[in-house]
Amino acid sequence: MNVSRRDFLAGSAAAATALTTLRPAFAASNFVIGTFGGLYSEILDASVIPAFESANDVTVQKELGWGSKFIPKIIASKANPPFDLIYVNEDEAIFGETAGLWEPMDTGATPNIANVYDICKPPAVPQYTSTVYEFTCAYNPEKMDAPKSWADLWQDGITVGVPHISSTYGMIFLQIAAELNGGSVENLDPGFQALKDLPNMKIYKGVTDGFGKFQQGEMDAALFYRHRIQLLMDDGVSVAFTTPSEGTYGMRTGVQIPKNTSNKAAALDWANRVMGAEYQDAFVSNLYSPSNTTVTMDADLAAKHVYGADKVNSLRFADWSVLNPRKSELLEQWNKAFTG
């Protein structure tokens, strides 16, 4: 566990600073969550937090960020976690389970889990899942035909966006590149060489950076969030998405409860709400695809989502039990290959 813990922290861009300060302990009436910022946080404020506070007689306090920022603080806090609940991507949830950071999952106290896609709950993933994302093959139809294979990104005349390996999808694109060239999740070296062989590549670091580069026409193709590409399409940007013959990858996002949380009952209530149709309905208009199978939407909106069992089950998911322990090693290899 100690080796994996060091690897995970070293592989996170935020880890170096995340351990420097810990949130002081709060009274029991405060419910502290670590959650995503921006629009996601705004929706929580408008549609989730008021009813939760009333039902649990607590005041919600938020720290904005991402799982790889919150997890180091939980590790450093020993038995006094600074959060009652945090939002995590599936790789972070799997790391936390391996490291023994979470309260045991309680399906009896979270009945909404019964309506979640099987691929979005244990044993498939150790988290209370709210959202399913697809990393699609995005491309500029004015610059190229729709790729039939991920290998079609290796062509002259286009600029290919390559996600930085510090991100979940950076790892996934590296694996795709490796598999196209005889590699695998256990052997990613061919992926590094394949990325070097791209005729014209542009590394993007994070969703905002990638979104801006597509918006400004600086990238012609890339692995990117499907819902973000849909937003650009809705705004009239020359971009589209397709499913190559090798398929596309997904990511499941939800919440987890740190071990020894000061308010487990409220944390379980939040986790149950996260998996419920009412919670997820608040997010669907902004293209956060639901994990709950009972969420309904009209055909036009559904077409913009990762929606329905057939679509969700068609996604591939990375093997984070293999990738997580290698994060620091792969980041070092990346830095030598692309910044050295």
Side-chain angles (χ1 to χ4, degrees):
M1 185 195 309
N2 290 335
V3 173
S4 296
R5 179 176 297 173
R6 287 197 300 270
D7 287 343
F8 187 89
L9 298 181
S12 166
T17 57
L19 289 169
T20 57
T21 58
L22 292 177
R23 183 185 292 275
F26 287 102
S29 61
N30 290 296
F31 186 79
V32 187
I33 65 171
T35 187
F36 310 120
L39 178 61
Y40 202 95
S41 178
E42 293 172 11
I43 297 172
L44 291 180
D45 288 339
S47 303
V48 178
I49 290 176
F52 175 82
E53 288 181 329
S54 178
N56 290 277
D57 194 24
V58 296
T59 298
V60 173
Q61 300 196 11
K62 296 182 298 181
E63 181 169 330
L64 304 183
W66 49 92
S68 58
K69 174 186 177 184
F70 307 138
I71 286 174
K73 294 188 176 186
I74 293 171
I75 292 172
S77 70
K78 308 298 183 184
N80 184 31
F83 307 101
D84 293 298
L85 176 143
I86 66 170
Y87 280 73
V88 288
N89 294 330
E90 62 184 67
D91 56 325
E92 298 156 345
I94 291 168
F95 168 79
E97 181 187 47
T98 302
L101 301 183
W102 312 137
E103 287 282 343
M105 292 191 68
D106 190 341
T107 57
T110 54
N112 283 333
I113 201 168
N115 290 324
V116 169
Y117 294 111
D118 287 343
I119 200 68
C120 293
K121 60 188 177 186
V125 62
Q127 67 186 17
Y128 304 97
T129 302
S130 63
T131 311
V132 184
Y133 295 100
E134 180 181 10
F135 298 121
T136 192
C137 182
Y139 68 100
N140 182 343
E142 295 181 3
K143 299 291 291 289
M144 62 188 298
D145 295 331
K148 293 181 173 59
S149 164
W150 285 101
D152 292 341
L153 272 59
W154 276 257
Q155 63 176 272
D156 293 328
I158 63 170
T159 300
V160 175
V162 175
H164 194 278
I165 199 175
S166 59
S167 66
T168 299
Y169 38 98
M171 287 278 190
I172 288 173
F173 191 60
L174 176 64
Q175 180 176 333
I176 290 172
E179 290 174 344
L180 290 171
N181 293 277
S184 65
V185 66
E186 292 87 6
N187 175 22
L188 296 173
D189 287 346
F192 280 99
Q193 185 58 53
L195 296 184
K196 290 181 182 180
D197 291 342
L198 278 167
N200 189 19
M201 67 177 283
K202 181 165 289 191
I203 295 173
Y204 71 89
K205 197 166 186 180
V207 175
T208 302
D209 185 29
F211 189 86
K213 282 181 168 55
F214 265 122
Q215 195 172 40
Q216 300 302 318
E218 297 177 32
M219 300 190 311
D220 301 315
L223 175 146
F224 203 62
Y225 282 98
R226 170 178 165 158
H227 73 293
R228 296 282 184 168
I229 295 301
Q230 184 65 61
L231 290 171
L232 289 171
M233 292 167 61
D234 290 346
D235 284 342
V237 176
S238 181
V239 66
F241 59 84
T242 189
T243 301
S245 59
E246 300 86 0
T248 57
Y249 276 80
M251 181 177 71
R252 297 151 290 193
T253 294
V255 300
Q256 256 299 359
I257 303 171
K259 188 175 289 185
N260 300 317
T261 176
S262 61
N263 200 337
K264 184 176 179 180
L268 285 168
D269 181 43
W270 188 288
N272 189 51
R273 290 169 187 256
V274 156
M275 297 183 293
E278 183 177 357
Y279 176 103
Q280 295 179 27
D281 277 338
F283 290 83
V284 294
S285 64
N286 290 289
L287 303 188
Y288 293 96
S289 295
S291 69
N292 187 301
T293 62
T294 70
V295 174
T296 60
M297 57 188 89
D298 63 46
D300 289 342
L301 183 57
K304 298 180 180 183
H305 276 271
V306 182
Y307 185 66
D310 289 345
K311 177 59 182 178
V312 173
N313 291 331
S314 75
L315 299 175
R316 301 177 64 189
F317 293 95
D319 188 347
W320 295 106
S321 65
V322 175
L323 292 172
N324 273 342
R326 297 191 61 198
K327 281 189 173 181
S328 63
E329 166 202 340
L330 293 169
L331 180 60
E332 182 178 356
Q333 189 173 353
W334 175 279
N335 288 336
K336 288 180 180 178
F338 299 114
T339 60

